[in-house]
Structures are given as structure tokens and as C-alpha cells.
């Protein structure tokens, strides 16, 4: 199977937070997209918690831009749905200088 034939889903944070998770994933060759209602494909916090709970219930994988400390992370420690940290490499200076603003998206 070609891993670039389709995209997985990433749940990005709400639109009033500044994040570059989706474009960063794109340029690192991680085939995900966000489909939230926010400018950056993000969701409000409560919706993100609902998505994670649904993924846990259906035993589906889900990729999130998340933050700690947070009670949702704590709730799943020691379970088969425990959050797994994924660290992406830092962006290059050229990449950082080329970023578009939230308004330009």
C-alpha cells in the first residue's frame, strides 16, 4: 500500500492558538490533514476530548496536537489508550521564516 495515497487525521487545536502542526507534518512527509472548523483545521478543546474518547472507544488511532499538564492526559495513564508523545524535529530557520500567518491561511 502507498502510505501517501490517503491521509490520516490530525486533531489540531482551536483557531485562536498559533500552531504549525499540520504544515510541519506535511513537510516532514507525514500524510495527515485536519478538518476542524478553525482556520488551521483545529477544534475547540471539548471537541478534541470527544474525538479522543471516541477513538479510545473504537480502538482507533488518532494523532493530536496536545499539551500538558492536562487532566485528559492524566485520565488515560496506565491504560491501553495512554497518550504517546511524538516529538517532531525542530524547524529550520528557512522554514520558520517562510511560515504564513493565521490570516494568510
Amino acid at each position: 500500500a502507498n502510505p501517501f495515497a490517503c491521509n490520516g487525521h490530525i486533531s489540531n487545536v482551536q483557531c485562536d492558538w498559533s500552531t504549525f502542526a499540520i504544515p510541519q507534518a506535511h513537510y516532514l512527509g507525514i500524510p495527515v490533514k485536519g478538518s476542524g472548523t478553525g482556520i488551521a483545521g483545529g477544534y475547540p478543546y471539548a471537541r478534541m476530548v470527544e474525538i479522543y474518547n471516541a477513538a479510545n472507544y473504537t480502538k482507533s488511532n488518532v494523532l493530536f496536537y496536545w499539551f500538558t499538564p492536562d487532566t485528559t492526559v492524566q485520565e488515560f495513564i496506565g491504560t491501553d489508550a495512554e497518550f504517546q508523545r511524538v516529538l517532531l524535529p525542530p524547524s529550520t530557520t528557512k522554514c520558520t521564516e517562510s511560515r504564513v500567518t493565521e490570516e494568510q491561511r
Side-chain angles (χ1 to χ4, degrees):
N2 181 352
F4 298 101
C6 62
N7 289 327
H9 186 79
I10 183 171
S11 179
N12 201 15
V13 293
Q14 57 196 28
C15 62
D16 58 341
W17 294 15
S18 183
T19 173
F20 300 96
I22 294 172
Q24 186 177 11
H26 171 79
Y27 287 105
L28 291 171
I30 303 169
V32 294
K33 65 178 179 176
S35 57
T37 58
I39 294 170
Y43 297 93
Y45 176 80
R47 180 75 172 130
M48 291 175 67
V49 172
E50 288 174 356
I51 292 168
Y52 194 77
N53 285 327
N56 179 44
Y57 181 79
T58 61
K59 304 298 183 206
S60 300
N61 295 322
V62 63
L63 183 61
F64 276 88
Y65 177 97
W66 208 267
F67 42 89
T68 58
D70 181 74
T71 57
T72 304
V73 174
Q74 304 298 319
E75 180 182 337
F76 291 99
I77 290 177
T79 71
D80 62 346
E82 184 170 349
F83 282 50
Q84 299 297 312
R85 175 178 263 177
V86 175
L87 297 175
L88 302 176
S91 62
T92 64
T93 301
K94 182 179 178 182
C95 178
T96 301
E97 291 172 352
S98 299
R99 288 179 175 162
V100 296
T101 66
E102 301 284 330
E103 294 79 24
Q104 292 171 320
R105 293 185 197 179

